[in-house]
Amino acid sequence: MLQTAFNGVVTGVIMALPALAVTLLFGVLKFPNFAVGAMMTVAAYLAFALNAQLGWPLAAATVAAAVAMGALCIGIDQLTFRPLRERGAITLMVASLGLGFILENVARFAYGNTARSFAIELARPFRFADVRMNHEQMITIAVSSAAMIAMWVLLTRLPMGRAMRAVADNPSLALVRGIESPRVIRWTWFLAGVLLALGGVLIGMDRALEPPMGSNYLISVFGAAILGGLGSPLGAFVGALVIGVVSELSTLVIAPNYRIGIPLLAIAVILVFRPQGLFGQPYIRR
Amino acid sequence: MSNILRVTALHAGYGAGDILKGVDLELAAGSILTIIGPNGSGKSTLAKTLAGLLPARAGTIELDGRSLNGLGAPKRVLAGISYVPQEYNVFRNLTVLENLKIAREFMGANGKAARGRDDGLEELFPELPKHYRIAAGNLSGGQRQMLAFACALAGRPKLLILDEPSAGLSPILTREVFERVERVNRSGVSILMIEQNAIEALRISQSCVVLNGGRVRACASAREVLGMKDLNSIYLGDASNRI
């Protein structure tokens, strides 16, 4: 039970990264980006290329992949989403679905369907209060927590973070407060790219690298973001932890294959009873 | 007196038709101009077009002799225009302090230099520091209006555009808002104000423009307009009974 809950926490903190990316992008650009799964896959393979193929240490490969993914996201936005910006959320969402297929299949084309793994040394897991924790899990918790704290500092303490929240809150007021939205949008994509790259590498460490690795998490990630309240960074983190722990615990009573039903159930329940999510603001259409 | 704002033959609108159909107006530097007119006359559209939220389809907008046509809203802020919308004029999920910080960081004409400078906002709005940690969405209507007002002044604008600053406020708060408007104006900021509460607004204004059907129907000194019985009955609605 404790072991299952711990595994759930690890899954939760992994999902918190893409869930935060989803919520940041939704807040600023007002559309659900379904390409986040495939973006994680591409970033994970970028890190794999540097780590397993060029022999870089995984930490350095991850940092390089995160920066590259951030830049790639800005480029993808310019090519794919910017021309469609005025067409509304549905158009952008469909575009993101198409983009997801393309990115995932680029990864498949390059590396095939075989599962691969990073070049990391195996270490003996250690035990604490009957819970078995392996090295990768500890690294996962540390990296994800650090990323969350860094994002919190950025969003609340730095001018660009405040500007991102301002644009998410009220785009036209942000304009007349002197905030150039294209710059805010570029930063949002960059940060989302970094978060997705970290998420992709952590998933690759936790499981294995294969083309559908990112999209397998898509429902859980959206479940987490919706549960927490789309547009709320704190909500994304809490939502991810709840979904992670509850999904894992559910395997004690239902067949593990059905645990994907938990985030779906969470989405359904939250949309019926509290559409703005746990920490979100009611959506005001103007 | 020189003009801070000169608008010539301005056309703007949404969709197919124009809402503003050739608006001309001038605002003398250092004065308050009140724009009145019935609902749907294009008052708010005019404010949005001046602020750069809506593109001008024809005509020119000049601030202090410099053309603003083609500049987006953030660039106009740097040029010296500050606009307070009627509704949704604060970032509701951000705290009062964060609202002020954003205004100071992004509206200042010289960015960093403006940040450290004492802009005297806390002096003009002594009630704000008490609420620094509160989300702006949880403020009362009057407090929110004051915050919006304070934020708009952070960049030391040349021209302040207020869209119905007294909308939804009690008579006491309305008086307070107009008193602040007067104080801000005395500090050297020219003001273009849209108001339903015409009588109160005209009392602190120097000039008045009556807008109807997207065109300027009258342009006179505020005193003259306050005295015009026929104009009142047509454009001021219920307020005319009080004259």
Side-chain angles (χ1 to χ4, degrees):
Chain A
M1 170 92 178
L2 214 54
Q3 180 70 52
T4 318
F6 174 74
N7 293 345
V9 169
V10 174
T11 313
V13 294
I14 292 179
M15 286 189 317
L17 297 165
L20 184 57
V22 164
T23 223
L24 281 179
L25 289 170
F26 184 85
V28 170
L29 294 161
K30 302 283 181 275
F31 80 97
N33 176 14
F34 283 106
V36 287
M39 286 173 165
M40 286 198 285
T41 305
V42 168
Y45 276 106
L46 279 176
F48 173 80
L50 296 171
N51 166 245
Q53 295 181 304
L54 297 182
W56 292 27
L58 186 57
T62 306
V63 170
V67 174
M69 197 61 206
L72 191 62
C73 279
I74 296 176
I76 286 172
D77 177 59
Q78 296 293 314
L79 282 177
T80 315
F81 298 111
R82 199 183 60 146
L84 303 173
R85 203 97 79 207
E86 304 302 320
R87 303 269 189 94
I90 300 291
T91 309
L92 290 164
M93 184 194 81
V94 173
S96 78
L97 283 169
L99 177 69
F101 286 127
I102 293 172
L103 291 178
E104 187 173 316
N105 285 297
V106 167
R108 188 168 279 129
F109 186 72
Y111 288 99
N113 276 325
T114 329
R116 293 158 191 267
S117 53
F118 290 117
I120 34 177
E121 284 176 30
L122 288 174
R124 183 189 287 273
F126 56 93
R127 285 183 170 274
F128 180 77
D130 271 352
V131 179
R132 195 172 57 91
M133 309 173 186
N134 61 36
H135 256 79
E136 289 76 41
Q137 288 178 316
M138 301 313 291
I139 292 171
T140 297
I141 291 176
V143 167
S144 181
S145 308
M148 284 291 154
I149 292 168
M151 284 304 296
W152 180 80
V153 169
L154 182 114
L155 286 172
T156 57
R157 296 283 181 269
L158 298 185
M160 184 42 70
R162 276 195 287 271
M164 284 168 60
R165 287 164 58 219
V167 171
D169 187 296
N170 188 339
S172 69
L173 183 63
L175 286 173
V176 297
R177 288 279 178 272
I179 298 173
E180 295 276 3
S181 53
R183 203 168 144 234
V184 172
I185 290 171
R186 282 197 297 273
W187 270 103
T188 307
W189 274 109
F190 182 81
L191 292 172
V194 169
L195 288 169
L196 292 171
L198 293 179
V201 172
L202 293 181
I203 291 173
M205 264 170 58
D206 189 46
R207 308 272 159 92
L209 287 121
E210 45 187 344
M213 61 184 276
S215 38
N216 283 343
Y217 277 84
L218 205 53
I219 291 172
S220 301
V221 165
F222 270 85
I226 291 170
L227 177 66
L230 271 176
S232 159
L234 173 68
F237 185 64
V238 176
L241 278 183
V242 171
I243 298 263
V245 172
V246 176
S247 300
E248 289 294 331
L249 286 180
S250 73
T251 57
L252 298 175
V253 281
I254 58 174
N257 282 346
Y258 289 117
R259 73 178 153 196
I260 193 66
I262 298 297
L264 283 173
L265 191 69
I267 294 175
V269 170
I270 206 83
L271 288 181
V272 171
F273 294 104
R274 197 178 155 83
Q276 72 269 36
L278 296 178
F279 296 89
Q281 297 288 326
Y283 192 63
I284 304 169
R285 192 183 284 277
R286 328 179 235 277
Chain B
M1 215 186 310
S2 66
N3 287 320
I4 185 87
L5 178 73
R6 186 196 300 271
V7 175
T8 326
L10 186 65
H11 287 254
Y14 310 87
D18 281 354
I19 293 178
L20 301 181
K21 297 162 183 158
V23 170
D24 297 285
L25 60 85
E26 288 178 350
L27 199 162
S31 70
I32 303 181
L33 166 72
T34 292
I35 297 183
I36 56 175
N39 285 337
S41 57
K43 303 187 298 286
S44 291
T45 307
L46 174 61
K48 281 187 188 142
T49 312
L50 294 178
L53 289 177
L54 197 65
R57 289 174 176 172
T60 58
I61 303 169
E62 280 175 36
L63 183 77
D64 224 1
R66 175 186 171 200
S67 169
L68 296 184
N69 289 59
L71 292 188
K75 291 271 184 327
R76 289 191 194 193
V77 172
L78 295 184
I81 282 197
S82 190
Y83 162 60
V84 181
Q86 182 183 346
E87 288 180 293
Y88 307 113
N89 49 20
V90 295
F91 298 112
R92 302 171 68 93
N93 297 320
L94 274 62
T95 66
V96 169
L97 186 58
E98 287 176 328
N99 268 276
L100 281 168
K101 277 185 177 168
I102 283 188
R104 283 178 171 140
E105 283 155 358
F106 290 90
M107 297 179 78
N110 9 328
K112 281 183 184 144
R115 245 174 259 174
R117 204 169 52 192
D118 179 21
D119 47 22
L121 286 182
E122 274 79 7
E123 201 180 316
L124 190 59
F125 299 93
E127 66 275 39
L128 290 178
K130 275 185 290 194
H131 307 300
Y132 270 172
R133 307 260 155 235
I134 299 177
N138 293 337
L139 293 175
S140 71
Q143 290 166 340
R144 206 178 304 157
Q145 197 62 43
M146 291 301 175
L147 175 61
F149 207 179
C151 289
L153 292 170
R156 303 212 162 178
K158 293 176 186 165
L159 171 67
L160 182 63
I161 301 172
L162 301 171
D163 192 351
E164 307 225 6
S166 77
L169 298 185
S170 70
I172 295 174
L173 284 171
T174 301
R175 220 164 299 142
E176 203 177 317
V177 165
F178 286 136
E179 192 223 317
R180 301 284 172 102
V181 172
E182 249 189 317
R183 274 174 67 184
V184 168
N185 176 242
R186 275 202 299 272
S187 73
V189 181
S190 309
I191 294 175
L192 184 148
M193 177 164 59
I194 291 165
E195 254 305 325
Q196 291 282 358
N197 211 328
I199 310 286
E200 301 266 353
L202 288 174
R203 283 201 180 119
I204 62 164
S205 308
Q206 281 77 46
S207 49
C208 173
V209 161
V210 179
L211 210 60
N212 196 4
R215 291 191 173 89
V216 172
R217 298 297 172 173
C219 180
S221 77
R223 193 172 304 217
E224 263 177 278
V225 178
L226 272 170
M228 282 183 201
K229 286 271 191 253
D230 53 337
L231 203 65
N232 291 339
S233 59
I234 299 170
Y235 293 112
L236 304 189
D238 290 339
S240 63
N241 301 334
R242 282 158 50 193
I243 297 182

